[in-house]
Amino acid sequence: KKAKPDKKNNSDEDSKEKSMQTKLASWYLDEAKTKVGKDGFADAAAQVETAVGKIDAASEKYSAVLLKTQYLQMLLSHESNSFTADKFIPSKAHGEDQLNKIVSAADAILSAIDTDKIKLSLGANVATDDKDGKREREHREALKGILVDALHRKLHAAISAGNSSLVDETWKEMERWVVKMSKYAVLNYRREVHSERYGHALKHLLAMLGGVKDSGGAFPSKFVLWKELSSICNKLGWKSWEDYARISLASRFPGKM
């Protein structure tokens, strides 16, 4: 008689194969992230998309959803790479097409995330012995982080585009997910400048000059911030303070003037 197939072993092998596919997709994702903003990104991103698409979403729902969302976040990082490089105070104007690409990439993430499930998961406490509950919560926390990052980048693009209605709409949405918007100093600064509230902008700028980073990431260089200070003083009509900032800029950074 032929030996009957060991269903348990076959099941274990299938499980291992699916786990291997998830590991492969994760590896491709990590490799592609090193090419963000560089040549060769498109090919690397295509490999990630293919690998993520092969994950069995029915048996590995957390991995499938998270990796797909991380893939979309990587696409957004690529489109907004110039923002990241400048620490979100652009050194040059961005074209309308590029800004639209950033907004579209952010919207793709916002559409992919089930925000209702995040609210339900994070709105309740999890028992210490509830392993499934803890895993669900960690999964939703990770998605929330990606969601906030997408809103953050979308806001910077909207500000650069001068789209006041989109700025207001996205700001209100981000407020729903962030405990303290004040922890995003660069974003607050750029929003106040966009709204021509230069006194409020100055408050955030001075906070950045006295700090290093916050929830929005590392602050721009002191050289950039002092240039912004000179510009803000000019907009406020504070000629003596503008002169002070300009002279301080030259004395503090002689090699960059």
Side-chain angles (χ1 to χ4, degrees):
K1 292 183 179 180
K2 292 183 178 179
K4 292 182 179 181
D6 189 332
K7 293 183 180 179
K8 183 178 183 299
N9 287 340
N10 285 343
S11 177
D12 287 345
E13 287 176 4
D14 288 344
S15 177
K16 289 178 181 178
E17 185 178 346
K18 291 167 188 173
S19 295
M20 184 58 68
Q21 183 59 45
T22 298
K23 291 177 181 178
L24 184 63
S26 296
W27 183 84
Y28 276 129
L29 180 66
D30 289 339
E31 286 295 302
K33 284 179 179 178
T34 65
K35 294 180 172 60
V36 166
K38 303 176 183 176
D39 292 336
F41 174 78
D43 291 338
Q47 289 181 315
V48 178
E49 184 179 22
T50 300
V52 170
K54 290 181 179 179
I55 297 174
D56 188 343
S59 62
E60 294 192 82
K61 62 178 182 177
Y62 291 123
S63 296
V65 171
L66 185 57
L67 282 169
K68 179 183 177 182
T69 311
Q70 289 174 330
Y71 161 71
L72 294 174
Q73 184 184 34
M74 180 186 68
L75 297 182
L76 173 58
S77 295
H78 178 70
E79 295 296 351
S80 59
N81 182 62
S82 58
F83 274 131
T84 307
D86 288 336
K87 304 294 192 300
F88 294 102
I89 293 186
S91 57
K92 60 181 179 180
H94 292 81
E96 183 180 351
D97 288 346
Q98 187 58 40
L99 294 173
N100 287 338
K101 286 180 180 179
I102 295 172
V103 171
S104 295
D107 284 341
I109 293 173
L110 303 180
S111 298
I113 295 177
D114 190 332
T115 54
D116 288 336
K117 287 185 177 179
I118 293 179
K119 292 173 188 174
L120 288 172
S121 177
L122 301 185
N125 294 325
V126 179
T128 54
D129 60 346
D130 185 358
K131 293 182 179 180
D132 290 338
K134 285 183 178 180
R135 187 181 181 191
E136 173 75 18
R137 190 178 185 87
E138 289 172 357
H139 175 67
R140 299 300 168 192
E141 285 280 10
L143 291 177
K144 178 187 173 183
I146 296 173
L147 173 71
V148 170
D149 178 63
L151 291 167
H152 179 226
R153 292 174 186 271
K154 182 178 178 178
L155 264 169
H156 277 292
I159 291 170
S160 290
N163 190 334
S164 297
S165 60
L166 185 58
V167 170
D168 292 342
E169 172 191 320
T170 310
W171 183 272
K172 289 177 182 176
E173 180 62 21
M174 188 169 171
E175 279 185 315
R176 295 172 59 195
W177 299 101
V178 173
V179 176
K180 288 185 178 180
M181 289 294 285
S182 59
K183 295 295 185 180
Y184 290 80
V186 177
L187 181 61
N188 276 278
Y189 168 72
R190 295 195 68 216
R191 179 179 178 239
E192 299 296 2
V193 172
H194 166 74
S195 301
E196 299 183 352
R197 295 189 290 261
Y198 302 123
H200 292 290
L202 179 61
K203 179 185 71 172
H204 296 295
L205 183 57
L206 292 176
M208 286 189 282
L209 279 166
V212 178
K213 65 178 181 179
D214 62 7
S215 298
F219 294 150
S221 69
K222 300 301 182 186
F223 174 72
V224 170
L225 295 178
W226 272 91
K227 283 180 65 178
E228 291 294 315
L229 179 60
S230 177
S231 175
I232 286 295
C233 289
N234 174 269
K235 288 180 170 65
L236 286 167
W238 296 356
K239 185 69 171 69
S240 59
W241 282 103
E242 179 190 356
D243 291 341
Y244 169 74
R246 184 165 40 80
I247 293 170
S248 296
L249 187 65
S251 63
R252 288 169 182 267
F253 311 98
K256 293 189 177 183
M257 299 302 293

